[in-house]
């Protein structure tokens, strides 16, 4: 077995065998939706680890018509974090479910694309993404029986490479996430499922959907901060 190091990578090879490259730092993939949970995960991984960070956004197009505002906010968040924290790789892809009656679970689309990012990364770099972060707050209970399917979807699109492991920081409430984050970033996040298009072309939260309901105390905190 020979072992030597290039910048950032450990190289191992048995005599005459396959060369195996392992990054010295773990590679973490954050699936950034523009919502608070994935934003919280992104800021934690950027500021509390020295992992190599990949960030990916999926344009989930469906009859809720929220993909444009989510993409706009995600790009603004990415710019902000690259300037204030550190550089990372950012990519996007699209899943279009327009016309279907059911929306399906967003997490399945996200998991499918996460697998593709990991597979692509392995093919380009010859080493794997080790951690996958999507964010998860305490207000959202796990949907019974769903977790194994989500893992299977990631694994299916990572195949034939080893899929990453899901990684979560300690689960906290949305309010705790908001208090941890800089207010500028909280104001860039977007959570509403049914955005309202205004005549002047602007967009605002509906204030009625399940996500808006959970976000209500945070919206109030933001209004107070602006008013003070
Ligand atoms: Zn809403």
């Amino acid at each position: 077995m020979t072992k030597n190091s290039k910048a950032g990578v450990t190289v191992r090879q048995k005599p005459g065998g396959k060369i195996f490259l392992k990054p010295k730092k773990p590679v973490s993939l954050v699936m950034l939706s523009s919502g608070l949970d994935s934003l919280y995960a992104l800021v934690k991984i950027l500021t509390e680890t020295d992992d190599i960070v990949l960030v990916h956004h999926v344009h989930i197009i469906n009859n809720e018509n929220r993909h444009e505002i989510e993409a706009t906010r995600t790009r603004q968040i990415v710019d902000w974090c690259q300037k204030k924290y550190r550089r990372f790789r950012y990519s996007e892809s699209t899943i279009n479910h327009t016309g279907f009656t059911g929306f399906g679970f967003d997490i399945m689309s996200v998991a499918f694309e996460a697998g593709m990012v990991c597979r692509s990364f392995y093919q380009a770099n010859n080493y794997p993404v080790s951690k996958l972060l999507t964010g998860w707050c305490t207000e959202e209970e796990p949907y019974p029986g769903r977790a194994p399917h989500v893992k299977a979807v990631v694994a299916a699109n990572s195949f034939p490479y080893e899929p990453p492991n899901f990684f979560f920081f300690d689960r906290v409430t949305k309010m705790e996430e908001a208090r941890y984050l800089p207010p500028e970033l909280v104001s860039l996040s977007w959570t509403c499922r049914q955005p309202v298009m205004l005549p002047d072309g602007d967009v605002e939260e509906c204030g009625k959907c399940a996500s808006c309901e959970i976000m209500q105390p945070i919206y109030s905190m933001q209004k107070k901060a602006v008013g003070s």
Side-chain angles (χ1 to χ4, degrees):
M1 173 83 69
T2 57
K3 205 172 180 183
N4 59 59
S5 290
K6 289 182 178 178
V9 180
T10 303
V11 184
R12 283 189 294 124
Q13 184 180 23
K14 286 182 182 171
K18 195 177 171 187
I19 296 171
F20 186 72
L21 304 176
K22 190 173 177 228
K24 286 177 186 165
K25 292 179 183 177
V27 181
S28 289
L29 168 62
V30 181
M31 299 302 284
L32 183 65
S33 68
S34 78
L36 266 192
D37 300 344
S38 57
L39 175 54
Y40 176 76
L42 172 62
V43 172
K44 297 272 279 187
I45 205 89
L46 288 174
T47 58
E48 298 181 12
T49 75
D50 64 351
D51 290 6
I52 297 166
V53 175
L54 317 176
V55 178
H56 188 83
H57 175 71
V58 186
H59 302 262
I60 300 176
I61 305 177
N62 61 29
N63 296 340
E64 290 180 320
N65 209 23
R66 56 189 160 84
H67 61 280
E68 284 184 7
I69 184 68
E70 286 179 349
T72 301
R73 295 299 182 89
T74 298
R75 289 169 187 164
Q76 290 171 343
I77 288 167
V78 165
D79 284 349
W80 199 97
C81 290
Q82 301 247 36
K83 281 180 195 139
K84 300 279 181 183
Y85 300 127
R86 57 187 171 99
R87 305 290 296 172
F88 50 82
R89 297 187 204 184
Y90 174 64
S91 54
E92 300 177 353
S93 58
T94 302
I95 290 194
N96 190 336
H97 287 164
T98 311
F100 284 104
T101 307
F103 296 149
F105 292 107
D106 282 1
I107 190 65
M108 295 299 177
S109 299
V110 168
F112 189 71
E113 294 305 278
M116 182 53 71
V117 175
C118 294
R119 188 181 204 286
S120 244
F121 185 83
Y122 198 106
Q123 285 179 323
N125 300 283
N126 222 13
Y127 54 85
V129 174
S130 44
K131 287 187 258 178
L132 172 58
L133 296 91
T134 55
W136 191 15
C137 66
T138 53
E139 286 94 334
E140 283 162 26
E141 287 302 315
Y143 192 95
R146 191 176 65 178
H149 296 293
V150 177
K151 284 184 185 168
V153 171
V154 177
N157 233 4
S158 300
F159 182 81
Y161 306 107
E162 201 53 35
N165 291 312
F166 272 89
F167 176 82
F168 297 97
F169 290 100
D170 287 344
R171 277 174 76 201
V172 295
T173 63
K174 279 244 185 324
M175 181 56 87
E176 286 168 305
E177 290 177 346
R179 286 196 171 128
Y180 171 87
L181 294 166
E184 299 99 304
L185 268 186
V186 177
S187 65
L188 290 178
S189 70
W190 185 268
T191 305
C192 175
R193 309 281 304 191
Q194 291 161 344
V196 179
M197 309 295 162
L198 301 175
D200 62 0
D202 214 352
V203 183
E204 69 177 17
E205 289 94 352
C206 75
K208 298 175 198 160
C209 68
S211 300
C212 277
E213 224 166 83
I214 296 176
M215 287 292 288
Q216 218 52 60
I218 293 146
Y219 295 153
S220 306
M221 179 176 82
Q222 284 176 297
K223 275 180 198 155
K224 269 186 209 159
V226 170
S228 60

Coordinates of all heavy atoms in Angstrom, one line a residue, residues 191-195 205-213 219, ligand 1:
T191 N -40.7 31.0 2.9 CA -41.2 29.8 3.4 C -42.7 29.5 2.9 O -43.1 28.4 2.8 CB -41.3 29.8 5.0 OG1 -40.0 30.1 5.4 CG2 -41.8 28.5 5.6
C192 N -43.4 30.6 2.5 CA -44.8 30.5 2.1 C -45.0 29.5 1.0 O -44.3 29.6 0.0 CB -45.3 31.9 1.8 SG -47.0 31.8 1.2
R193 N -46.0 28.7 1.1 CA -46.3 27.7 0.0 C -47.2 28.3 -1.1 O -47.2 27.8 -2.2 CB -47.1 26.5 0.6 CG -46.5 25.9 1.8 CD -45.3 25.0 1.5 NE -45.7 23.9 0.6 CZ -44.9 22.9 0.3 NH1 -43.7 22.8 0.9 NH2 -45.2 21.9 -0.6
Q194 N -47.9 29.4 -0.8 CA -48.8 29.9 -1.8 C -48.6 31.4 -1.9 O -49.5 32.2 -1.5 CB -50.3 29.6 -1.4 CG -50.5 28.1 -1.5 CD -51.7 27.6 -0.8 OE1 -52.2 28.3 0.1 NE2 -52.2 26.4 -1.1
P195 N -47.5 31.9 -2.5 CA -47.2 33.3 -2.6 C -48.3 34.1 -3.3 O -48.9 33.5 -4.3 CB -45.9 33.3 -3.3 CG -45.7 32.0 -3.9 CD -46.5 31.0 -3.1
E205 N -46.1 37.0 1.2 CA -46.6 35.7 1.9 C -48.1 35.7 2.0 O -48.7 36.8 2.2 CB -46.0 35.6 3.3 CG -44.5 35.2 3.3 CD -43.6 36.5 3.4 OE1 -44.2 37.6 3.3 OE2 -42.4 36.3 3.5
C206 N -48.7 34.6 1.9 CA -50.2 34.5 1.9 C -50.7 34.7 3.3 O -51.8 35.1 3.6 CB -50.7 33.2 1.3 SG -50.4 31.7 2.4
G207 N -49.9 34.3 4.3 CA -50.3 34.5 5.7 C -51.3 33.4 6.2 O -51.7 33.4 7.3
K208 N -51.6 32.4 5.3 CA -52.7 31.5 5.7 C -52.2 30.0 5.6 O -52.7 29.1 6.2 CB -53.8 31.6 4.7 CG -54.5 32.9 4.7 CD -55.6 32.9 3.6 CE -56.0 34.4 3.3 NZ -56.6 34.5 1.9
C209 N -51.2 29.7 4.8 CA -50.8 28.3 4.6 C -50.1 27.8 5.9 O -49.8 28.6 6.8 CB -49.9 28.2 3.4 SG -48.2 28.9 3.6
A210 N -49.9 26.5 5.9 CA -49.4 25.9 7.1 C -48.0 26.4 7.4 O -47.6 26.7 8.6 CB -49.3 24.3 6.9
S211 N -47.2 26.7 6.4 CA -45.8 27.2 6.6 C -45.9 28.7 7.2 O -45.1 29.0 8.1 CB -45.0 27.3 5.3 OG -44.9 26.0 4.8
C212 N -46.8 29.5 6.6 CA -47.0 30.8 7.2 C -47.4 30.8 8.6 O -47.0 31.6 9.4 CB -48.0 31.6 6.3 SG -47.3 32.3 4.8
E213 N -48.3 29.8 8.9 CA -48.8 29.7 10.3 C -47.6 29.5 11.3 O -47.5 30.1 12.3 CB -49.7 28.5 10.4 CG -51.0 28.9 11.2 CD -52.0 27.8 11.0 OE1 -52.0 26.8 11.6 OE2 -52.9 28.0 10.1
Y219 N -42.4 36.4 11.7 CA -42.8 37.6 10.9 C -43.1 38.7 11.9 O -42.7 39.9 11.6 CB -44.1 37.3 10.1 CG -44.0 36.3 9.0 CD1 -45.1 35.6 8.6 CD2 -42.8 36.0 8.3 CE1 -45.0 34.6 7.5 CE2 -42.7 35.1 7.3 CZ -43.8 34.4 6.9 OH -43.7 33.5 5.9
Ligands
LIG1 ZN1 -48.3 31.2 3.1

